[in-house]
Amino acid sequence: MPELSLEALEKRREALETRIILACKACQRPRESVTLIWVSKFHPITSVENAIQLGAKEFGENRVQEAIEKFSTPRAGIHCHIIGPIQANKLRKAASVADSIHSIASLDAIHKLESICAETGKILDILIQVNTSEEDTKSGITMSETESFLLSLPEAPHLRYRGLMTIGKNTGRAEDSRAGFCFLREMRDKMHASGGLFENFSELSMGMTEDLEVAIEEGATLIRVGTALFGERARLI
Ligand SMILES: *Cc1c(COP(=O)(O)O)cnc(C)c1O
């Protein structure tokens, strides 16, 4: 994987920023209502350092081990988001490195994370992943079980339920993801309005390189972008 120079990364960032600004304008949302997560998976630490030089603060990794390698030494103001499925035996490591985990899809993981965070006193942001594409290869709870799953979430003093995450459809047509994104927004709205456990349930993590415009139109607050920033990955995940 050829490494991206700072200049090359800056150009790609500017092109992406233009896309984000246009998408926000098109639906009259303020640019600040969308946070860019730089998905640095499979890219070297030097790319992360270049991104930080360009002002990046939020990074996404989908494998715990890689997140540990790049982000276990805390840097002021830099946050690590885990966006990939986590095996039960890696939850402790995930909780140690992450500020936020977007890929939670079981009560078991919730209970384990709460007890891990209770030991260390950490407060962890949690997003629930929904499989809106209904493709078997994707993780997440199904759309039909989403509401009952959310209503069954336990009170967890060390976890903050922040919202919902999904991965769009992998068809090459961004429009195909719209219905799933819309479902996510409506579910977020419903839960957020109910308050209580959901008082912080304001985030919608959706939109990647191919479909971020549709995601922004449908209300994404966190977009997770890898390829548009760092280029192609050696392995596709
Ligand atoms: C890799 C990945 C991304 C970034 O995808 P790009 O298409 O490269 O922008 C976003 N979200 C998840 C969950 C990922 O695994």
Side-chain angles (χ1 to χ4, degrees), residues 82-86 91 100-111 113 124-130 140-141 149 153 159 161 163 165:
I82 302 273
I83 59 176
I86 309 170
L91 285 169
S100 174
I101 300 180
H102 295 220
S103 41
I104 297 300
S106 78
L107 289 180
D108 198 42
I110 298 267
H111 289 296
L113 284 172
L124 188 61
D125 279 358
I126 295 290
L127 287 85
I128 306 300
Q129 181 172 357
V130 182
I141 53 177
F149 179 86
L153 287 174
L159 305 181
Y161 299 123
M165 179 275 226

Side-chain angles (χ1 to χ4, degrees), residues 39 41 62 83 165 167 208-209 224-227 233 237:
V39 177
K41 68 183 185 200
N62 77 339
I83 59 176
M165 179 275 226
I167 300 176
M208 322 196 325
T209 294
R224 310 177 308 268
V225 182
T227 309
R233 291 177 288 273
I237 276 201

Side-chain angles (χ1 to χ4, degrees), residues 110-115 117-118 122-124 126 153-161 197:
I110 298 267
H111 289 296
K112 290 202 171 92
L113 284 172
E114 168 57 26
S115 74
C117 291
K122 179 168 183 167
I123 307 284
L124 188 61
I126 295 290
L153 287 174
E155 214 161 300
H158 299 86
L159 305 181
R160 245 187 328 238
Y161 299 123
L197 221 51

